[in-house]
Amino acid sequence: MTALFTEKQRQLLGRVIFGWFVVALLWRWSDSAMISQLEQPVLGNVYKDLTFWLFELARIPAFVTGQYAVALLLDLVVTTAALLAFLQPSKVVYARIYCLAILFYFVIFTTYANYHYRPIIGLLVAGLPFAFRSMPRFGTFVQVLRYYVLFLYASAGLYKVMRGSWLNVDQMTMIIEKTQLDLLLTQPDNWHSLFYTWLLHNEWASWSLFVLATVLEVSFIIGFFTKRWDLGLFCTAISLHIGFYFTMGFFAFELIVLDLLLLPWNRMYTKGQLPITAPALSGL
């Protein structure tokens, strides 16, 4: 497996990725979703995740959230590191600091959110390639993340197929009833509520959208065999996110940053520059 990247291509991708991080983090600041804004929570859930258990046994989440100054410092470090990595994408030290700080943020926030908030995974893993100074390893890691993106979507579609949920005509209506009940009761005249009501009254339409989403997710299997359709898969991913927003009121901004890896970054700034070939994974 090979990947072709130049320093300019790396810097361009770095500015895009970390710029996305900065916007996402500022969004989380405005949404009071940073660790220092959680008001020292005490009830958490580590689930069956060994990484979470390691943090819990070390009492890291309780220590960080129990000390406002420490929590604020973590929030400032992760935000500042993302900003500095955006301004100077060639400096791997900023990317490394960000990757370490966002890991602490991810584990602590998810523990006290009492559910594994999956979209944050984009903020966690998309910056990892930039922690490598070696260009070949950087290129290889970008390709690894590309396959990870394909796995995320394809597995979601295959999960629906294997469980047979796509055969349940009322599957989508049940999802709307369980996730949007508060909105339907408190804001019945809201445009989103009116759309949900229409979907509930027209089961054929909601089921058709669910089947369409399943087909589009399964189509990401194509990417495991060829990169020729990556741009189309990127558009498909964005279409899914838009669809999820309209049908479930859910917009995974933090996850979209991973979709950016489906774009042909290694075809930009190629004139007059020698590409760098990444080694096979087995050679690392």
Side-chain angles (χ1 to χ4, degrees), residues 47-72:
Y47 297 87
K48 300 177 181 178
D49 192 304
L50 295 180
T51 302
F52 281 69
W53 271 108
L54 178 63
F55 271 73
E56 186 65 24
L57 292 174
R59 301 189 61 80
I60 295 175
F63 172 74
V64 174
T65 57
Q67 309 291 328
Y68 177 77
V70 177
L72 180 60

Side-chain angles (χ1 to χ4, degrees), residues 181-282:
L181 182 60
D182 288 345
L183 180 64
L184 291 170
L185 292 177
T186 59
Q187 302 180 49
D189 296 326
N190 180 281
W191 71 269
H192 230 150
S193 295
L194 295 175
F195 180 60
Y196 291 143
T197 301
W198 183 83
L199 288 176
L200 292 173
H201 289 162
N202 296 272
E203 201 171 65
W204 62 270
S206 59
W207 178 69
S208 298
L209 290 174
F210 186 83
V211 173
L212 176 61
T214 302
V215 172
L216 291 178
E217 288 173 339
V218 172
S219 70
F220 278 81
I221 293 177
I222 297 172
F224 286 98
F225 303 98
T226 178
K227 296 181 180 179
R228 183 177 302 175
W229 302 102
D230 275 13
L231 184 58
L233 293 177
F234 171 78
C235 295
T236 300
I238 299 302
S239 299
L240 284 168
H241 286 292
I242 294 174
F244 293 152
Y245 172 72
F246 280 103
T247 58
M248 292 183 287
F250 174 73
F251 187 66
F253 182 81
E254 299 101 330
L255 189 60
I256 295 177
V257 69
L258 285 173
D259 300 334
L260 298 176
L261 297 176
L262 294 173
L263 295 176
W265 300 101
N266 58 349
R267 298 180 188 175
M268 303 178 186
Y269 296 125
T270 56
K271 185 176 180 181
Q273 294 196 48
L274 295 176
I276 299 176
T277 304
L281 282 175
S282 58

Side-chain angles (χ1 to χ4, degrees), residues 3 25 41 45 50 53 58 79 101 104 109 122 135 152 161 169-170 173 193 198 204 211 218 241 269 281:
L25 289 169
N45 194 335
L50 295 180
W53 271 108
T79 306
F104 277 74
F109 177 85
M135 284 297 294
L152 285 178
V161 173
V169 179
D170 61 346
T173 56
S193 295
W198 183 83
W204 62 270
V211 173
V218 172
H241 286 292
Y269 296 125
L281 282 175

